[in-house]
Amino acid sequence: TTPHAPIDRPTLPEEEIYHNHPGEMCVSSFARSNGAAAGNGAAAAKETAAAQPAAAHAGVHETLKQAWARVFAYATGDGRDRAEPVARFQQPEDLHKIVGIGLDEQPTTQNLLEMVDNIFKYSIRSNHPCFFNQMGMGGTEVIGILGEAIAAAVNHAMYTYEMAPVTTLMERELIAQLLKLAGFESGDGMFNPGGSMSNAHAMLLARHQASSLTKTEGLHGYSKQLVAFTSAESHYCFERSGLLLGLGTENVIKVPVDDCGIMIPSELERLLEECVAAGKQPFFVNATAGSTVYGAVDPIRACHAAAKKVGAWFHVDGAWGSSALMSERHRGILDGVELADSLSWNFHKLGGMPQSCSVLLCKDEQIMRDALKLGGDCSYLYHEQPYDVSIDSGEKSLQCGRRPDSIKLWLTWKMLGTQKMGERIDKQMANKESFIGMLRNRSDVFEMVCEPGFCNVCFWYKPKGSDLAKEQVHELTARIKQGMMLEGRCMVNYQPRGDRPNFFRMVFTNPEAEDQDLKLALDEIERIGDEVIKTLSC
């Protein structure tokens, strides 16, 4: 092949680009604003930049190197340091002033490094071993953070191999491996911006299966009312999906659950039969593998049988629980997942990836392409190519500009291997079991709400002999959490459910957490609770 001829580039003034180095225009702009920020004034900064471009250029690079060093230090150490608090709470109006949130027409007088330091200082340390608040963060792998930075650096979209050659191949390899882990003999997949989008994508595929006319004619293209079914403890995104797809929330039926939040198969069968008898079409059934609050895992095999009895698409929302498939020891939690038509999987939960890294897997490769492919003119993206264009993913995605979330997962998997990623899950589950043991050893103070689910433990602080009314337990839990937030040593979430008053929910996303961290969570709840309980309203 003939090598590319060099491109003639126009010579620009040094104040706009130093040394004619590609990409330095943005750096020199930063240098000018940095000079103004130092108090020299716009004219002085311009004069300095023109007179000493090399020195200014070197100064800017040094500042950026120091900023990147702070990011590295936070990602690898400071953000995980037990000596640091999980949170430094400030009221919104105070934080606005401290960090300097306001934007002005002129460049800021704040120092870049100070701004970076303040972002880290006043943000929640979600990688701290005592952060147990949310399941969508915690214990992030440093290699994953590197992958996130690389994704920002390459800054391309995933619609074609032409635009994203390396990451398209990464994505295809990841999807192939995940299909195997799920027990899908064939199929396809798509990286989406979060589990909510993956679940909505699955429901759209189900609607297309029920009637392909809905793609062009909408719901008027099908004579029957389409109805979706999911457990009463499933994520609220399924109702949102009903809104997006034009079903309406009343046509997303919540199936009753037992005391541990697990869907009752006989209730699902009853509701499906009633739907058919009413002349409606059940088109989508979801089983949750790890619910948000209780960690409930619905009986996948029984739910699949009920769905297929009426010809419905069967989806498993494994946003929380699918990572158990990485572990030889715990993959049985998702027994029957291979029967699903589709499966959602969030690696930014138990998988240790930065937000977000969600995948939808689907057994039917053709329906995944047909459901979203448009007949309109997208010729500015999709061309005749010197490669097999079936590798292009744009027409299967709900997005056009889709970021390369595959980089962080591929890098991490490549560096750790499947076994080590599975051992990560084993440690998280071991932390859960250890915490359960601690609760049982302190049963004079703590009471479990129900038998713990997947990687969640729900409990009350209810000292024996206190004779607290339900309303008092409700108030007590909320006020303990407020105290924990203000002090910042530990974060644990809480919520009410049904007729149950507020209770704490621990999730175990961070494999770096040890027994000392689990114990601290209980100690903090008891310490603050002992003070709050004296001031409860009657």
Side-chain angles (χ1 to χ4, degrees), residues 63-207:
T63 301
L64 289 172
K65 283 170 65 177
Q66 291 181 42
W68 275 107
R70 280 163 160 77
V71 174
F72 178 81
Y74 186 86
T76 59
D78 295 350
R80 304 164 189 265
D81 188 354
R82 286 183 175 85
E84 293 288 338
V86 179
R88 287 185 172 92
F89 178 80
Q90 298 286 334
Q91 292 294 340
E93 58 273 17
D94 296 329
L95 188 59
H96 195 284
K97 295 175 184 176
I98 293 170
V99 179
I101 297 295
L103 298 173
D104 302 306
E105 292 184 8
Q106 298 302 318
T108 181
T109 58
Q110 289 176 281
N111 179 275
L112 173 64
L113 299 180
E114 178 187 352
M115 288 189 280
V116 172
D117 288 342
N118 279 335
I119 291 170
F120 287 140
K121 182 176 181 179
Y122 294 105
S123 292
I124 301 299
R125 280 177 158 77
S126 59
N127 286 320
H128 194 289
C130 293
F131 177 86
F132 304 102
N133 212 64
Q134 259 81 33
M135 56 176 58
M137 56 199 83
T140 308
E141 294 287 348
V142 175
I143 300 170
I145 297 173
L146 173 64
E148 187 78 350
I150 293 172
V154 298
N155 194 34
H156 59 231
M158 292 294 298
Y159 24 73
T160 61
Y161 176 83
E162 174 191 27
M163 188 59 234
V166 176
T167 48
T168 294
L169 295 180
M170 287 179 179
E171 193 169 271
R172 298 315 306 158
E173 176 63 17
L174 286 166
I175 288 168
Q177 294 300 324
L178 295 175
L179 288 167
K180 290 179 184 176
L181 285 172
F184 289 11
E185 293 183 0
S186 61
D188 202 350
M190 179 57 59
F191 279 73
N192 286 308
S196 293
M197 188 64 74
S198 288
N199 288 328
H201 194 170
M203 193 179 286
L204 185 147
L205 299 180
R207 190 185 72 174

Side-chain angles (χ1 to χ4, degrees), residues 7-29 32 49-50 53:
I7 299 173
D8 291 330
R9 302 184 188 276
T11 301
L12 300 175
E14 283 186 327
E15 65 175 318
E16 292 191 27
I17 181 167
Y18 293 123
H19 306 308
N20 297 325
H21 191 286
E24 293 299 336
M25 292 179 71
C26 57
V27 175
S28 60
S29 296
R32 291 197 297 276

